[in-house]
Amino acid sequence: TLTVTSANHWMTAWLGLELNMISILPVIAKQKHPRSTEAATKYFLTQATASALMLFASTINAWQTGSWNIMQLNNKLSCILMIAALTMKMGAAPAHFWLPEVMQGATLATALLITTWQKIAPITLLYMISNHIEPIITLSIGLLSILVGGWGGFNQTQLRKMMAYSSIAHLGWTMTIISIMPNIALTNIIIYMIMSTPFFMLLMTTASKTLQTMTTTWTHTPTTTIILMLLLLSMAGLPPLTGFTPKLLILDSLVTHKLTLTAATMALLSLLSLTFYLRTTYLLTSTAPPTTTQSTTTWRLKPHQNQITALLAPIALFNITILPALLT
C-alpha cells in the first residue's frame, strides 16, 4: 500500500497493488475452511482482472502521450478504463459483487482489513488522477453505489455482509465528490475508516457475527452496546455525530456546483442505509434477549483491542467540534 501511495510511475503503482493482493490472500484463506478458500479465490480473480485492466489503461496512456506519470492521465479512454479498474479494486458499484461474499468468508479482523486498509491504495490513485476524471462518470458510479449499498444491506442478518454494503454506500459518497472536491472525498473515507475500525473491534471482542448474537450483548456489557449503537448512528450520518460531517460537506459542495438534484437524490438514497442501521440499533438497545444471565463477567474484554477502540470511538462519535474549521 505504501508503495502505491508514494508512486509516481504507473508500473510502480501496479506493482504495489499486485504485492498487496498477493500478501492478503493467505490472510483471507487463513481459516482451514472451504468458505474462506472460496473468498480468497473470488478476491484474487476480481483483483487480478482489475490489475490487468489498470495495466492496459496505463499502457494505452503511455502509448498515446509518451508519459507513465500518474498525474498525466490525459488520454480519455485510458482514464475511463482506469476508473473502471479502480472501482473494481475498491468494490464500488457496479463492480461490487465480490465484496459481500469475500467479507462473509473472512474473519472479522480480515473483514476490517478489507473495508479499511485495502481501500487506501485505489482511493489514493483516484485522488491523484481526479483532475482528469469526467464528473459524470464518478457521479453515476457514486449514486449507483449509494443505491446498491442501501438496498443490499436491507434484509441482511449477517453483520459482515451488512458492513460490506455499508462500505459500498460510503464509497458511493466518496466517488460522487472525488472529481469535484477530492479533499472532501479523502476526509469522507478517513472518517469512515475511523468509524468502522472501533465497530469491527467491538464485534471481535463480543464475537458477534449475526444480528441474533448481537442482541445478547446488552446483558453482558451495556457500555459496549451503547458505543456500538452510537457508532451505527454515526455511520448512518446522524448529527451531532462524526458521520454527519463529511455528508454535510459533500452535499454542500454539490449544491455549490449546481448539482442540487444529485445532492437531493443522494440524501434520499441514504435513507435506505439509515433503515438498516436503525434496525440494528433497535435490536441492540431496545430488545432484551429472552435468556438473561445472572453473571456480570461472562467474558472479559481483551485489553489491547480496548485501547484501540478507546482511542478511535470518541473521534468517531464527537468530531462535530472541528466542523467550523473544515468549512472555512
Side-chain angles (χ1 to χ4, degrees):
T1 304
L2 295 174
T3 308
V4 179
T5 50
S6 57
N8 279 319
H9 195 287
W10 276 118
M11 288 301 280
T12 322
W14 174 79
L15 192 69
L17 284 166
E18 286 297 294
L19 286 168
N20 177 301
M21 177 190 73
I22 292 162
S23 309
I24 202 168
L25 287 175
V27 179
I28 299 171
K30 191 179 75 166
Q31 296 170 289
K32 303 290 183 285
H33 194 277
R35 184 166 278 180
S36 54
T37 315
E38 183 190 335
T41 312
K42 282 177 180 171
Y43 186 83
F44 169 72
L45 290 171
T46 47
Q47 298 295 317
T49 310
S51 289
L53 196 57
M54 184 183 155
L55 197 59
F56 180 53
S58 53
T59 312
I60 288 177
N61 187 62
W63 182 38
Q64 293 290 326
T65 63
S67 168
W68 280 97
N69 194 317
I70 293 178
M71 308 292 269
Q72 294 171 358
L73 195 70
N74 298 322
N75 185 278
K76 213 163 192 178
L77 174 65
S78 47
C79 191
I80 293 166
L81 286 172
M82 189 59 74
I83 295 166
L86 293 173
T87 303
M88 194 186 266
K89 279 259 174 220
M90 287 188 301
H96 65 280
F97 294 100
W98 62 272
L99 187 61
E101 299 300 320
V102 169
M103 278 181 67
Q104 186 55 31
T107 59
L108 281 166
T110 315
L112 168 63
L113 206 61
I114 293 167
T115 46
T116 55
W117 186 261
Q118 293 301 97
K119 302 269 187 283
I120 295 172
I123 288 279
T124 309
L125 289 174
L126 268 175
Y127 181 81
M128 287 167 87
I129 63 166
S130 57
N131 57 335
H132 296 293
I133 297 173
E134 286 285 327
I136 188 73
I137 300 171
T138 48
L139 284 169
S140 309
I141 291 171
L143 281 169
L144 189 61
S145 295
I146 297 168
L147 176 65
V148 166
W151 224 321
F154 229 66
N155 36 358
Q156 286 298 336
T157 53
Q158 295 287 339
L159 288 173
R160 282 166 294 182
K161 274 194 175 177
M162 195 183 87
M163 288 308 292
Y165 283 110
S166 159
S167 170
I168 293 164
H170 278 90
L171 279 174
W173 282 85
T174 307
M175 287 298 282
T176 42
I177 202 71
I178 201 151
S179 56
I180 301 164
M181 294 280 277
N183 290 348
I184 294 178
L186 222 53
T187 310
N188 182 47
I189 205 76
I190 290 166
I191 288 178
Y192 168 68
M193 287 175 188
I194 290 170
M195 287 188 297
S196 59
T197 306
F199 185 79
F200 271 105
M201 289 282 185
L202 289 172
L203 288 187
M204 278 186 259
T205 315
T206 57
S208 304
K209 288 178 183 173
T210 60
L211 288 177
Q212 197 178 0
T213 50
M214 213 179 183
T215 54
T216 58
T217 55
W218 181 252
T219 50
H220 300 309
T221 49
T223 319
T224 306
T225 317
I226 291 164
I227 295 170
L228 278 171
M229 177 199 80
L230 288 169
L231 285 169
L232 279 164
L233 293 177
S234 183
M235 276 189 237
L238 294 181
L241 304 167
T242 306
F244 174 66
T245 312
K247 284 187 166 65
L248 179 66
L249 291 173
I250 289 169
L251 293 176
D252 178 55
S253 181
L254 287 171
V255 172
T256 310
H257 286 84
K258 309 244 182 323
L259 291 164
T260 316
L261 189 64
T262 313
T265 313
M266 285 167 68
L268 287 170
L269 288 177
S270 67
L271 292 175
L272 288 169
S273 300
L274 179 64
T275 309
F276 69 79
Y277 287 127
L278 282 179
R279 186 190 57 185
T280 316
T281 308
Y282 173 74
L283 281 172
L284 259 176
T285 52
S286 305
T287 54
T291 50
T292 50
T293 174
Q294 299 305 312
S295 168
T296 51
T297 53
T298 318
W299 33 249
R300 296 199 178 272
L301 304 181
K302 294 188 183 72
H304 69 280
Q305 286 183 346
N306 268 6
Q307 287 163 6
I308 301 167
T309 312
L311 180 72
L312 290 176
I315 307 169
L317 297 177
F318 307 110
N319 163 345
I320 205 77
T321 46
I322 66 158
L323 184 59
L326 289 171
L327 286 172
T328 49

